[in-house]
Amino acid sequence: MFGFKPSYIYKLVYEKRVNYYKPFGKKLFFKLSELKVQFEESKIEAVANDTTIKDAADRFMMKR
């Protein structure tokens, strides 16, 4: 769905960065709803050219 290579998926699983299920001990299964939530939560905001890194950092810190 996301276009990742199987080796990258296995790396994410190994690093425990994605939730997965192994009901029969062999194949990996993923819940699409969990992957979508995790994908959406990993958004990184783009910085416009006319702003400085300091301005972006200040906006980021104000959000928290």
Side-chain angles (χ1 to χ4, degrees), residues 42-48 56 59-60 63:
S42 66
K43 177 182 174 183
I44 298 173
E45 220 175 290
V47 179
R59 282 196 314 272
F60 176 77
K63 288 182 183 179

Side-chain angles (χ1 to χ4, degrees), residues 9-56:
I9 299 295
Y10 283 114
K11 178 183 176 183
L12 294 175
V13 167
Y14 176 77
E15 294 174 351
K16 298 184 184 209
R17 295 176 61 194
V18 292
N19 296 327
Y20 65 94
Y21 300 87
K22 230 175 162 178
F24 304 110
K26 189 171 184 181
K27 290 186 178 185
L28 299 176
F29 292 88
F30 304 91
K31 272 192 178 177
L32 185 57
S33 59
E34 290 177 358
L35 291 176
K36 284 182 178 180
V37 167
Q38 191 168 7
F39 185 78
E40 290 171 357
E41 289 176 351
S42 66
K43 177 182 174 183
I44 298 173
E45 220 175 290
V47 179
N49 290 338
D50 59 342
T51 61
T52 64
I53 294 175
K54 183 182 180 316
D55 293 337

